[in-house]
mmCIF file with all atom_site columns, all heavy atoms in Angstrom:
data_model
loop_
_atom_site.group_PDB
_atom_site.id
_atom_site.type_symbol
_atom_site.label_atom_id
_atom_site.label_alt_id
_atom_site.label_comp_id
_atom_site.label_asym_id
_atom_site.label_entity_id
_atom_site.label_seq_id
_atom_site.pdbx_PDB_ins_code
_atom_site.Cartn_x
_atom_site.Cartn_y
_atom_site.Cartn_z
_atom_site.occupancy
_atom_site.B_iso_or_equiv
_atom_site.pdbx_formal_charge
_atom_site.auth_seq_id
_atom_site.auth_comp_id
_atom_site.auth_asym_id
_atom_site.auth_atom_id
_atom_site.pdbx_PDB_model_num
ATOM 1   N N   . VAL A 1 1   ? -7.128  10.184  12.236  1.00 0.00 ? 20  VAL A N   1
ATOM 2   C CA  . VAL A 1 1   ? -7.130  8.746   12.061  1.00 0.00 ? 20  VAL A CA  1
ATOM 3   C C   . VAL A 1 1   ? -8.477  8.329   11.486  1.00 0.00 ? 20  VAL A C   1
ATOM 4   O O   . VAL A 1 1   ? -9.524  8.730   11.954  1.00 0.00 ? 20  VAL A O   1
ATOM 5   C CB  . VAL A 1 1   ? -6.867  8.029   13.398  1.00 0.00 ? 20  VAL A CB  1
ATOM 6   C CG1 . VAL A 1 1   ? -6.919  6.545   13.221  1.00 0.00 ? 20  VAL A CG1 1
ATOM 7   C CG2 . VAL A 1 1   ? -5.553  8.462   13.978  1.00 0.00 ? 20  VAL A CG2 1
ATOM 8   N N   . ASP A 1 5   ? -10.045 2.253   6.317   1.00 0.00 ? 24  ASP A N   1
ATOM 9   C CA  . ASP A 1 5   ? -9.045  2.298   5.263   1.00 0.00 ? 24  ASP A CA  1
ATOM 10  C C   . ASP A 1 5   ? -8.764  0.922   4.687   1.00 0.00 ? 24  ASP A C   1
ATOM 11  O O   . ASP A 1 5   ? -8.921  -0.099  5.351   1.00 0.00 ? 24  ASP A O   1
ATOM 12  C CB  . ASP A 1 5   ? -7.711  2.827   5.808   1.00 0.00 ? 24  ASP A CB  1
ATOM 13  C CG  . ASP A 1 5   ? -7.792  4.251   6.302   1.00 0.00 ? 24  ASP A CG  1
ATOM 14  O OD1 . ASP A 1 5   ? -8.662  4.997   5.827   1.00 0.00 ? 24  ASP A OD1 1
ATOM 15  O OD2 . ASP A 1 5   ? -6.981  4.619   7.158   1.00 0.00 ? 24  ASP A OD2 1
ATOM 16  N N   . THR A 1 12  ? 4.305   -2.341  -10.689 1.00 0.00 ? 31  THR A N   1
ATOM 17  C CA  . THR A 1 12  ? 4.757   -1.781  -11.973 1.00 0.00 ? 31  THR A CA  1
ATOM 18  C C   . THR A 1 12  ? 5.042   -0.292  -11.842 1.00 0.00 ? 31  THR A C   1
ATOM 19  O O   . THR A 1 12  ? 5.859   0.242   -12.578 1.00 0.00 ? 31  THR A O   1
ATOM 20  C CB  . THR A 1 12  ? 3.731   -2.024  -13.098 1.00 0.00 ? 31  THR A CB  1
ATOM 21  O OG1 . THR A 1 12  ? 2.508   -1.371  -12.769 1.00 0.00 ? 31  THR A OG1 1
ATOM 22  C CG2 . THR A 1 12  ? 3.490   -3.517  -13.292 1.00 0.00 ? 31  THR A CG2 1
ATOM 23  N N   . PHE A 1 24  ? -18.086 6.374   0.865   1.00 0.00 ? 43  PHE A N   1
ATOM 24  C CA  . PHE A 1 24  ? -18.433 7.558   1.637   1.00 0.00 ? 43  PHE A CA  1
ATOM 25  C C   . PHE A 1 24  ? -17.518 7.645   2.853   1.00 0.00 ? 43  PHE A C   1
ATOM 26  O O   . PHE A 1 24  ? -17.482 6.730   3.675   1.00 0.00 ? 43  PHE A O   1
ATOM 27  C CB  . PHE A 1 24  ? -19.905 7.516   2.083   1.00 0.00 ? 43  PHE A CB  1
ATOM 28  C CG  . PHE A 1 24  ? -20.381 8.799   2.686   1.00 0.00 ? 43  PHE A CG  1
ATOM 29  C CD1 . PHE A 1 24  ? -20.833 9.831   1.873   1.00 0.00 ? 43  PHE A CD1 1
ATOM 30  C CD2 . PHE A 1 24  ? -20.373 8.985   4.059   1.00 0.00 ? 43  PHE A CD2 1
ATOM 31  C CE1 . PHE A 1 24  ? -21.273 11.022  2.429   1.00 0.00 ? 43  PHE A CE1 1
ATOM 32  C CE2 . PHE A 1 24  ? -20.809 10.170  4.617   1.00 0.00 ? 43  PHE A CE2 1
ATOM 33  C CZ  . PHE A 1 24  ? -21.258 11.191  3.799   1.00 0.00 ? 43  PHE A CZ  1
ATOM 34  N N   . TRP A 1 27  ? -15.746 9.726   8.777   1.00 0.00 ? 46  TRP A N   1
ATOM 35  C CA  . TRP A 1 27  ? -15.195 9.847   10.120  1.00 0.00 ? 46  TRP A CA  1
ATOM 36  C C   . TRP A 1 27  ? -13.887 10.589  10.137  1.00 0.00 ? 46  TRP A C   1
ATOM 37  O O   . TRP A 1 27  ? -13.032 10.276  9.314   1.00 0.00 ? 46  TRP A O   1
ATOM 38  C CB  . TRP A 1 27  ? -14.986 8.452   10.688  1.00 0.00 ? 46  TRP A CB  1
ATOM 39  C CG  . TRP A 1 27  ? -14.705 8.457   12.142  1.00 0.00 ? 46  TRP A CG  1
ATOM 40  C CD1 . TRP A 1 27  ? -15.606 8.320   13.138  1.00 0.00 ? 46  TRP A CD1 1
ATOM 41  C CD2 . TRP A 1 27  ? -13.441 8.604   12.771  1.00 0.00 ? 46  TRP A CD2 1
ATOM 42  N NE1 . TRP A 1 27  ? -14.989 8.363   14.346  1.00 0.00 ? 46  TRP A NE1 1
ATOM 43  C CE2 . TRP A 1 27  ? -13.645 8.537   14.143  1.00 0.00 ? 46  TRP A CE2 1
ATOM 44  C CE3 . TRP A 1 27  ? -12.155 8.803   12.328  1.00 0.00 ? 46  TRP A CE3 1
ATOM 45  C CZ2 . TRP A 1 27  ? -12.621 8.661   15.061  1.00 0.00 ? 46  TRP A CZ2 1
ATOM 46  C CZ3 . TRP A 1 27  ? -11.126 8.918   13.238  1.00 0.00 ? 46  TRP A CZ3 1
ATOM 47  C CH2 . TRP A 1 27  ? -11.380 8.836   14.588  1.00 0.00 ? 46  TRP A CH2 1
ATOM 48  N N   . PRO A 1 35  ? -14.388 9.781   -1.904  1.00 0.00 ? 54  PRO A N   1
ATOM 49  C CA  . PRO A 1 35  ? -13.140 9.826   -1.122  1.00 0.00 ? 54  PRO A CA  1
ATOM 50  C C   . PRO A 1 35  ? -11.917 9.629   -2.012  1.00 0.00 ? 54  PRO A C   1
ATOM 51  O O   . PRO A 1 35  ? -11.955 8.879   -2.980  1.00 0.00 ? 54  PRO A O   1
ATOM 52  C CB  . PRO A 1 35  ? -13.300 8.683   -0.126  1.00 0.00 ? 54  PRO A CB  1
ATOM 53  C CG  . PRO A 1 35  ? -14.307 7.772   -0.723  1.00 0.00 ? 54  PRO A CG  1
ATOM 54  C CD  . PRO A 1 35  ? -15.205 8.613   -1.567  1.00 0.00 ? 54  PRO A CD  1
ATOM 55  N N   . ALA A 1 42  ? 7.792   5.623   -5.560  1.00 0.00 ? 61  ALA A N   1
ATOM 56  C CA  . ALA A 1 42  ? 9.253   5.633   -5.658  1.00 0.00 ? 61  ALA A CA  1
ATOM 57  C C   . ALA A 1 42  ? 9.636   5.955   -7.093  1.00 0.00 ? 61  ALA A C   1
ATOM 58  O O   . ALA A 1 42  ? 9.227   5.256   -8.016  1.00 0.00 ? 61  ALA A O   1
ATOM 59  C CB  . ALA A 1 42  ? 9.832   4.289   -5.237  1.00 0.00 ? 61  ALA A CB  1
ATOM 60  N N   . TYR A 1 53  ? -0.133  -3.328  8.039   1.00 0.00 ? 72  TYR A N   1
ATOM 61  C CA  . TYR A 1 53  ? -0.318  -3.878  9.370   1.00 0.00 ? 72  TYR A CA  1
ATOM 62  C C   . TYR A 1 53  ? -1.441  -3.158  10.094  1.00 0.00 ? 72  TYR A C   1
ATOM 63  O O   . TYR A 1 53  ? -1.805  -2.037  9.760   1.00 0.00 ? 72  TYR A O   1
ATOM 64  C CB  . TYR A 1 53  ? 0.969   -3.880  10.192  1.00 0.00 ? 72  TYR A CB  1
ATOM 65  C CG  . TYR A 1 53  ? 1.525   -2.524  10.565  1.00 0.00 ? 72  TYR A CG  1
ATOM 66  C CD1 . TYR A 1 53  ? 1.100   -1.876  11.729  1.00 0.00 ? 72  TYR A CD1 1
ATOM 67  C CD2 . TYR A 1 53  ? 2.491   -1.909  9.789   1.00 0.00 ? 72  TYR A CD2 1
ATOM 68  C CE1 . TYR A 1 53  ? 1.627   -0.650  12.084  1.00 0.00 ? 72  TYR A CE1 1
ATOM 69  C CE2 . TYR A 1 53  ? 3.024   -0.695  10.144  1.00 0.00 ? 72  TYR A CE2 1
ATOM 70  C CZ  . TYR A 1 53  ? 2.591   -0.057  11.297  1.00 0.00 ? 72  TYR A CZ  1
ATOM 71  O OH  . TYR A 1 53  ? 3.107   1.148   11.643  1.00 0.00 ? 72  TYR A OH  1
ATOM 72  N N   . LEU A 1 69  ? 12.337  -6.319  11.015  1.00 0.00 ? 88  LEU A N   1
ATOM 73  C CA  . LEU A 1 69  ? 13.095  -6.878  9.888   1.00 0.00 ? 88  LEU A CA  1
ATOM 74  C C   . LEU A 1 69  ? 12.193  -7.748  9.016   1.00 0.00 ? 88  LEU A C   1
ATOM 75  O O   . LEU A 1 69  ? 12.209  -7.630  7.789   1.00 0.00 ? 88  LEU A O   1
ATOM 76  C CB  . LEU A 1 69  ? 14.291  -7.684  10.390  1.00 0.00 ? 88  LEU A CB  1
ATOM 77  C CG  . LEU A 1 69  ? 15.127  -8.351  9.304   1.00 0.00 ? 88  LEU A CG  1
ATOM 78  C CD1 . LEU A 1 69  ? 15.719  -7.320  8.353   1.00 0.00 ? 88  LEU A CD1 1
ATOM 79  C CD2 . LEU A 1 69  ? 16.217  -9.208  9.925   1.00 0.00 ? 88  LEU A CD2 1
ATOM 80  N N   . PHE A 1 70  ? 11.409  -8.614  9.647   1.00 0.00 ? 89  PHE A N   1
ATOM 81  C CA  . PHE A 1 70  ? 10.475  -9.437  8.881   1.00 0.00 ? 89  PHE A CA  1
ATOM 82  C C   . PHE A 1 70  ? 9.505   -8.558  8.087   1.00 0.00 ? 89  PHE A C   1
ATOM 83  O O   . PHE A 1 70  ? 9.240   -8.807  6.910   1.00 0.00 ? 89  PHE A O   1
ATOM 84  C CB  . PHE A 1 70  ? 9.684   -10.377 9.799   1.00 0.00 ? 89  PHE A CB  1
ATOM 85  C CG  . PHE A 1 70  ? 10.496  -11.473 10.428  1.00 0.00 ? 89  PHE A CG  1
ATOM 86  C CD1 . PHE A 1 70  ? 10.173  -11.935 11.694  1.00 0.00 ? 89  PHE A CD1 1
ATOM 87  C CD2 . PHE A 1 70  ? 11.563  -12.061 9.770   1.00 0.00 ? 89  PHE A CD2 1
ATOM 88  C CE1 . PHE A 1 70  ? 10.904  -12.960 12.288  1.00 0.00 ? 89  PHE A CE1 1
ATOM 89  C CE2 . PHE A 1 70  ? 12.302  -13.087 10.347  1.00 0.00 ? 89  PHE A CE2 1
ATOM 90  C CZ  . PHE A 1 70  ? 11.971  -13.534 11.611  1.00 0.00 ? 89  PHE A CZ  1
ATOM 91  N N   . THR A 1 81  ? 6.480   -16.373 4.966   1.00 0.00 ? 100 THR A N   1
ATOM 92  C CA  . THR A 1 81  ? 6.240   -15.647 3.719   1.00 0.00 ? 100 THR A CA  1
ATOM 93  C C   . THR A 1 81  ? 4.752   -15.606 3.426   1.00 0.00 ? 100 THR A C   1
ATOM 94  O O   . THR A 1 81  ? 4.004   -16.493 3.823   1.00 0.00 ? 100 THR A O   1
ATOM 95  C CB  . THR A 1 81  ? 6.917   -16.346 2.537   1.00 0.00 ? 100 THR A CB  1
ATOM 96  O OG1 . THR A 1 81  ? 7.829   -17.302 2.972   1.00 0.00 ? 100 THR A OG1 1
ATOM 97  C CG2 . THR A 1 81  ? 7.650   -15.383 1.681   1.00 0.00 ? 100 THR A CG2 1
ATOM 98  N N   . VAL A 1 82  ? 4.349   -14.600 2.704   1.00 0.00 ? 101 VAL A N   1
ATOM 99  C CA  . VAL A 1 82  ? 2.962   -14.434 2.310   1.00 0.00 ? 101 VAL A CA  1
ATOM 100 C C   . VAL A 1 82  ? 2.775   -15.054 0.928   1.00 0.00 ? 101 VAL A C   1
ATOM 101 O O   . VAL A 1 82  ? 3.665   -14.966 0.079   1.00 0.00 ? 101 VAL A O   1
ATOM 102 C CB  . VAL A 1 82  ? 2.600   -12.939 2.280   1.00 0.00 ? 101 VAL A CB  1
ATOM 103 C CG1 . VAL A 1 82  ? 1.205   -12.714 1.764   1.00 0.00 ? 101 VAL A CG1 1
ATOM 104 C CG2 . VAL A 1 82  ? 2.755   -12.345 3.660   1.00 0.00 ? 101 VAL A CG2 1
ATOM 105 N N   . ASN A 1 88  ? -0.953  -18.110 -6.176  1.00 0.00 ? 107 ASN A N   1
ATOM 106 C CA  . ASN A 1 88  ? -0.405  -19.149 -5.301  1.00 0.00 ? 107 ASN A CA  1
ATOM 107 C C   . ASN A 1 88  ? 1.123   -19.116 -5.243  1.00 0.00 ? 107 ASN A C   1
ATOM 108 O O   . ASN A 1 88  ? 1.764   -20.129 -5.017  1.00 0.00 ? 107 ASN A O   1
ATOM 109 C CB  . ASN A 1 88  ? -0.893  -20.546 -5.697  1.00 0.00 ? 107 ASN A CB  1
ATOM 110 C CG  . ASN A 1 88  ? -2.366  -20.702 -5.413  1.00 0.00 ? 107 ASN A CG  1
ATOM 111 O OD1 . ASN A 1 88  ? -2.843  -20.307 -4.347  1.00 0.00 ? 107 ASN A OD1 1
ATOM 112 N ND2 . ASN A 1 88  ? -3.087  -21.260 -6.361  1.00 0.00 ? 107 ASN A ND2 1
ATOM 113 N N   . LEU A 1 92  ? 6.516   -10.680 -1.773  1.00 0.00 ? 111 LEU A N   1
ATOM 114 C CA  . LEU A 1 92  ? 6.943   -9.666  -0.809  1.00 0.00 ? 111 LEU A CA  1
ATOM 115 C C   . LEU A 1 92  ? 6.025   -8.450  -0.856  1.00 0.00 ? 111 LEU A C   1
ATOM 116 O O   . LEU A 1 92  ? 6.230   -7.496  -0.117  1.00 0.00 ? 111 LEU A O   1
ATOM 117 C CB  . LEU A 1 92  ? 8.378   -9.215  -1.113  1.00 0.00 ? 111 LEU A CB  1
ATOM 118 C CG  . LEU A 1 92  ? 9.438   -10.314 -1.174  1.00 0.00 ? 111 LEU A CG  1
ATOM 119 C CD1 . LEU A 1 92  ? 10.779  -9.738  -1.565  1.00 0.00 ? 111 LEU A CD1 1
ATOM 120 C CD2 . LEU A 1 92  ? 9.511   -11.051 0.145   1.00 0.00 ? 111 LEU A CD2 1
ATOM 121 N N   . ALA A 1 100 ? -10.716 -2.572  -7.997  1.00 0.00 ? 119 ALA A N   1
ATOM 122 C CA  . ALA A 1 100 ? -11.964 -2.511  -8.767  1.00 0.00 ? 119 ALA A CA  1
ATOM 123 C C   . ALA A 1 100 ? -12.251 -3.821  -9.500  1.00 0.00 ? 119 ALA A C   1
ATOM 124 O O   . ALA A 1 100 ? -13.343 -4.003  -10.025 1.00 0.00 ? 119 ALA A O   1
ATOM 125 C CB  . ALA A 1 100 ? -11.915 -1.353  -9.758  1.00 0.00 ? 119 ALA A CB  1
ATOM 126 N N   . PRO A 1 102 ? -12.670 -7.737  -8.938  1.00 0.00 ? 121 PRO A N   1
ATOM 127 C CA  . PRO A 1 102 ? -12.797 -8.764  -7.901  1.00 0.00 ? 121 PRO A CA  1
ATOM 128 C C   . PRO A 1 102 ? -11.978 -10.028 -8.161  1.00 0.00 ? 121 PRO A C   1
ATOM 129 O O   . PRO A 1 102 ? -11.794 -10.833 -7.259  1.00 0.00 ? 121 PRO A O   1
ATOM 130 C CB  . PRO A 1 102 ? -14.291 -9.077  -7.879  1.00 0.00 ? 121 PRO A CB  1
ATOM 131 C CG  . PRO A 1 102 ? -14.860 -8.511  -9.115  1.00 0.00 ? 121 PRO A CG  1
ATOM 132 C CD  . PRO A 1 102 ? -13.918 -7.459  -9.626  1.00 0.00 ? 121 PRO A CD  1
ATOM 133 N N   . GLN A 1 104 ? -8.824  -9.964  -8.843  1.00 0.00 ? 123 GLN A N   1
ATOM 134 C CA  . GLN A 1 104 ? -7.444  -9.672  -8.478  1.00 0.00 ? 123 GLN A CA  1
ATOM 135 C C   . GLN A 1 104 ? -7.326  -9.535  -6.958  1.00 0.00 ? 123 GLN A C   1
ATOM 136 O O   . GLN A 1 104 ? -8.284  -9.238  -6.270  1.00 0.00 ? 123 GLN A O   1
ATOM 137 C CB  . GLN A 1 104 ? -6.972  -8.389  -9.169  1.00 0.00 ? 123 GLN A CB  1
ATOM 138 C CG  . GLN A 1 104 ? -6.913  -8.529  -10.673 1.00 0.00 ? 123 GLN A CG  1
ATOM 139 C CD  . GLN A 1 104 ? -6.337  -7.295  -11.332 1.00 0.00 ? 123 GLN A CD  1
ATOM 140 O OE1 . GLN A 1 104 ? -5.609  -6.515  -10.736 1.00 0.00 ? 123 GLN A OE1 1
ATOM 141 N NE2 . GLN A 1 104 ? -6.664  -7.112  -12.607 1.00 0.00 ? 123 GLN A NE2 1
ATOM 142 N N   . SER A 1 106 ? -6.803  -7.987  -3.656  1.00 0.00 ? 125 SER A N   1
ATOM 143 C CA  . SER A 1 106 ? -6.862  -6.688  -2.984  1.00 0.00 ? 125 SER A CA  1
ATOM 144 C C   . SER A 1 106 ? -7.611  -6.869  -1.672  1.00 0.00 ? 125 SER A C   1
ATOM 145 O O   . SER A 1 106 ? -8.174  -7.932  -1.395  1.00 0.00 ? 125 SER A O   1
ATOM 146 C CB  . SER A 1 106 ? -7.581  -5.656  -3.863  1.00 0.00 ? 125 SER A CB  1
ATOM 147 O OG  . SER A 1 106 ? -8.973  -5.930  -3.905  1.00 0.00 ? 125 SER A OG  1
ATOM 148 N N   . TYR A 1 127 ? 22.210  -3.504  -1.287  1.00 0.00 ? 146 TYR A N   1
ATOM 149 C CA  . TYR A 1 127 ? 22.783  -4.526  -0.425  1.00 0.00 ? 146 TYR A CA  1
ATOM 150 C C   . TYR A 1 127 ? 24.161  -4.156  0.110   1.00 0.00 ? 146 TYR A C   1
ATOM 151 O O   . TYR A 1 127 ? 24.562  -4.612  1.158   1.00 0.00 ? 146 TYR A O   1
ATOM 152 C CB  . TYR A 1 127 ? 22.886  -5.865  -1.174  1.00 0.00 ? 146 TYR A CB  1
ATOM 153 C CG  . TYR A 1 127 ? 21.561  -6.377  -1.651  1.00 0.00 ? 146 TYR A CG  1
ATOM 154 C CD1 . TYR A 1 127 ? 21.301  -6.546  -3.000  1.00 0.00 ? 146 TYR A CD1 1
ATOM 155 C CD2 . TYR A 1 127 ? 20.546  -6.688  -0.751  1.00 0.00 ? 146 TYR A CD2 1
ATOM 156 C CE1 . TYR A 1 127 ? 20.078  -7.022  -3.447  1.00 0.00 ? 146 TYR A CE1 1
ATOM 157 C CE2 . TYR A 1 127 ? 19.314  -7.161  -1.180  1.00 0.00 ? 146 TYR A CE2 1
ATOM 158 C CZ  . TYR A 1 127 ? 19.092  -7.323  -2.528  1.00 0.00 ? 146 TYR A CZ  1
ATOM 159 O OH  . TYR A 1 127 ? 17.878  -7.787  -2.955  1.00 0.00 ? 146 TYR A OH  1
ATOM 160 N N   . GLY A 1 132 ? 28.537  5.447   6.174   1.00 0.00 ? 151 GLY A N   1
ATOM 161 C CA  . GLY A 1 132 ? 28.961  6.718   5.594   1.00 0.00 ? 151 GLY A CA  1
ATOM 162 C C   . GLY A 1 132 ? 28.548  6.907   4.150   1.00 0.00 ? 151 GLY A C   1
ATOM 163 O O   . GLY A 1 132 ? 28.630  8.010   3.616   1.00 0.00 ? 151 GLY A O   1
ATOM 164 N N   . ASP A 1 133 ? 28.129  5.836   3.476   1.00 0.00 ? 152 ASP A N   1
ATOM 165 C CA  . ASP A 1 133 ? 27.644  5.960   2.101   1.00 0.00 ? 152 ASP A CA  1
ATOM 166 C C   . ASP A 1 133 ? 26.322  6.719   2.078   1.00 0.00 ? 152 ASP A C   1
ATOM 167 O O   . ASP A 1 133 ? 25.592  6.760   3.069   1.00 0.00 ? 152 ASP A O   1
ATOM 168 C CB  . ASP A 1 133 ? 27.428  4.594   1.456   1.00 0.00 ? 152 ASP A CB  1
ATOM 169 C CG  . ASP A 1 133 ? 28.717  3.926   1.027   1.00 0.00 ? 152 ASP A CG  1
ATOM 170 O OD1 . ASP A 1 133 ? 29.779  4.557   1.141   1.00 0.00 ? 152 ASP A OD1 1
ATOM 171 O OD2 . ASP A 1 133 ? 28.655  2.758   0.591   1.00 0.00 ? 152 ASP A OD2 1
ATOM 172 N N   . LEU A 1 139 ? 11.029  10.174  -3.731  1.00 0.00 ? 158 LEU A N   1
ATOM 173 C CA  . LEU A 1 139 ? 9.643   9.753   -3.544  1.00 0.00 ? 158 LEU A CA  1
ATOM 174 C C   . LEU A 1 139 ? 8.710   10.891  -3.929  1.00 0.00 ? 158 LEU A C   1
ATOM 175 O O   . LEU A 1 139 ? 9.050   12.061  -3.776  1.00 0.00 ? 158 LEU A O   1
ATOM 176 C CB  . LEU A 1 139 ? 9.384   9.377   -2.074  1.00 0.00 ? 158 LEU A CB  1
ATOM 177 C CG  . LEU A 1 139 ? 10.215  8.244   -1.497  1.00 0.00 ? 158 LEU A CG  1
ATOM 178 C CD1 . LEU A 1 139 ? 9.966   8.126   0.000   1.00 0.00 ? 158 LEU A CD1 1
ATOM 179 C CD2 . LEU A 1 139 ? 9.886   6.940   -2.191  1.00 0.00 ? 158 LEU A CD2 1
ATOM 180 N N   . LYS A 1 159 ? -3.490  5.864   -9.993  1.00 0.00 ? 178 LYS A N   1
ATOM 181 C CA  . LYS A 1 159 ? -2.505  5.138   -10.799 1.00 0.00 ? 178 LYS A CA  1
ATOM 182 C C   . LYS A 1 159 ? -2.190  5.887   -12.091 1.00 0.00 ? 178 LYS A C   1
ATOM 183 O O   . LYS A 1 159 ? -1.035  5.908   -12.538 1.00 0.00 ? 178 LYS A O   1
ATOM 184 C CB  . LYS A 1 159 ? -3.002  3.722   -11.092 1.00 0.00 ? 178 LYS A CB  1
ATOM 185 C CG  . LYS A 1 159 ? -3.013  2.846   -9.848  1.00 0.00 ? 178 LYS A CG  1
ATOM 186 C CD  . LYS A 1 159 ? -3.493  1.444   -10.176 1.00 0.00 ? 178 LYS A CD  1
ATOM 187 C CE  . LYS A 1 159 ? -3.488  0.553   -8.959  1.00 0.00 ? 178 LYS A CE  1
ATOM 188 N NZ  . LYS A 1 159 ? -3.752  -0.843  -9.309  1.00 0.00 ? 178 LYS A NZ  1
#
Side-chain angles (χ1 to χ4, degrees):
V20 178
D24 296 335
T31 62
F43 189 84
W46 192 93
Y72 66 88
L88 178 61
F89 291 147
T100 346
V101 175
N107 291 315
L111 305 177
Q123 295 185 23
S125 72
Y146 300 118
D152 283 355
L158 300 173
K178 290 181 179 189

